[in-house]
Amino acid sequence: MIDQGLLDPVHVDELVSKALLLASPDNILGSLSGVRFFSTPSPRDPLGRAVDLQLQYVVFTGTPRLLMYRMHEWIKRADGTRDGPAVLLTSATSFLPPSPAHHVAVAPHYVLQRLRPEREDAPDSYYEFRPIRDGQAADAPFLRFSGERSETVRMANLEKMALALLDGGPINSQLARDCAKFDPRDGVPRKAAFVVNSYDQARRLKHFIDLRLPAWRDKVVAVVDDLPDFGLTTGYVTSSRVESLGDDDRWQVLIFPPGALGRGTNVVFTTGPRQRDAAIGTLYFLTRPHPTPHDMSLPVSMAAKATLDFDLRQDDSTSLEQLGRRWLGARRQAYQQIGRLLRRPLYARGLGKLFEPFTANIAVNLMQTIGRAMRNGCPVQCFFVDRAWAEKTSRGELDNETSSMLVQLRVILEKGVSSDDQREAALYQALYGAFLRPLTDIHGLNVAPVLEDTSVEEEWHDNPLWAADAPLKGEET
């Protein structure tokens, strides 16, 4: 098909090197491979009616993350003892058990906290679900970014959101009013940020603002991966230079995707009465983060977590026969979960119980982004603008933990701080208490009572092994 021009040349995306695979154990799924087909709106059709067909060949092999957990046992001595390099893992948001992609399955031994408490005069952090209507009519639908199939419609909605927030200029706009009343200390105002999904969206939104809202042209800065090759570069900055904006009084709004402000990147005041305070105090999440329908990060991370969980729970007292039964049971369970993801495009509304790990994976980057506006104990106000954050609320209904990522995240954190394991509960409180409090009191979100679990596990009919010892034929676990 490639030779005949029916398919584009194959793009091979290897997540790990062959050398690393040789040093890591096999995946619990074995050498599972498959072919996936997708139809996506064609970027060549601005109306979104034409579709492109894509073919994806997927191979699961190896579990490189296990190397971190076994590296200290790398050397085996003649007497049977093991030794190896000491391993130190450090991160503020890698303790989140429901997240298969980010959680480190070793409880932290140390948690670094502030030496002094937060300012007594500081307001509380404030979260609000605040979608924007598409037009002036009272019954006009709210704007949505995530979930819209057409790229043209998505960008148009993004532009409408920005227009609604910035209309009125740097003094009388909705954004200006939001910032003026929140945490105005020592006469030094804090700035705002539009959070989008990609550098390209940041660049295009900045261009739109420059053309439609000239009063904001010199007050909006977009974080991009590369500076423009032509025209003015004023108003654009790369992630490596974003920290220099802290003391720049000329800008009021920063546009960036979450990955642009990674670990250790902080936009803070470096001088004056608010020294070391976060310069950004107001975040507008114009988009709800969501991987593409053909993204493989969730099934890959779930397969790695299943392999790691099986590896860490073994002990020397387990017989080979018991180990075999456990392995078949763990493998069968992994197939049931991951096979469901492989058979369908990745849409949040169809994930069921898997919405929890899906949300937890995204929540790590979300909380890191919010944390950039909380430096030095500062409060933050967050406005979740994309209606996809809470679809049912936008229709006047009640959202629950399977319909809204905001509700699901709150449930995850509430379960953590109320865990029967006192150490786990203390860790959740220390790491995520500052996020849970405003999530619990979030404005504009209609939350249903606790959802009863009435879901039924989907049966697996597509046996990928076709072997007599396949783990999906009902073995006892």
Side-chain angles (χ1 to χ4, degrees), residues 15 75 84 100 129 146 172 174 220 285 313 317 348 385 457 466 477:
L15 300 182
I75 302 172
F129 175 59
S146 180
N172 297 317
Q174 180 65 60
V220 175
F285 290 91
R313 73 179 181 180
S317 62
V385 181
E457 285 294 334
W466 302 108
T477 61

Side-chain angles (χ1 to χ4, degrees), residues 256-277:
F256 68 91
L261 272 62
R263 291 181 174 92
T265 302
N266 299 302
V267 183
V268 300
F269 300 109
T270 61
T271 60
R274 304 205 66 165
Q275 187 176 9
R276 292 190 295 275
D277 280 2

Side-chain angles (χ1 to χ4, degrees), residues 115 289 307 457 463:
L115 292 176
T307 307
E457 285 294 334
N463 192 331

Side-chain angles (χ1 to χ4, degrees), residues 178-190:
D178 289 337
C179 294
K181 65 183 181 182
F182 185 75
D183 194 26
R185 187 166 67 91
D186 298 320
V188 181
R190 298 172 68 191

Side-chain angles (χ1 to χ4, degrees), residues 43 75 84 95 114 124 137 186 218 254 293 320-321 347 363 375 400 470 477:
I75 302 172
F95 178 83
R114 294 170 52 81
D124 294 331
D186 298 320
D218 297 329
L254 185 69
L320 186 60
E321 182 180 358
Y347 294 115
R375 289 296 177 260
N400 55 49
T477 61

Side-chain angles (χ1 to χ4, degrees), residues 320-363:
L320 186 60
E321 182 180 358
Q322 291 174 325
L323 183 63
R325 287 200 299 267
R326 286 186 184 180
W327 176 78
L328 288 173
R331 196 178 191 196
R332 179 175 184 267
Q333 185 178 20
Y335 271 123
Q336 287 177 328
Q337 291 184 334
I338 297 162
R340 177 181 178 181
L341 295 174
L342 294 178
R343 293 202 302 276
R344 296 183 177 89
L346 186 60
Y347 294 115
R349 61 181 177 271
L351 288 175
K353 290 183 178 180
L354 298 182
F355 191 57
E356 181 186 56
F358 171 81
T359 298
N361 278 354
I362 293 176

Side-chain angles (χ1 to χ4, degrees), residues 26-30 60 62-63 65-66 97 99-101 103 105 298-314 326-327 329-338:
D26 200 2
N27 197 288
I28 199 167
L29 297 177
F60 283 83
T63 310
R65 71 168 63 181
L66 272 177
S99 170
H103 178 64
L298 181 60
V300 167
S301 63
M302 291 183 63
K305 181 180 183 299
T307 307
L308 178 64
D309 289 344
F310 177 78
D311 180 82
L312 294 180
R313 73 179 181 180
Q314 303 309 317
R326 286 186 184 180
W327 176 78
R331 196 178 191 196
R332 179 175 184 267
Q333 185 178 20
Y335 271 123
Q336 287 177 328
Q337 291 184 334
I338 297 162

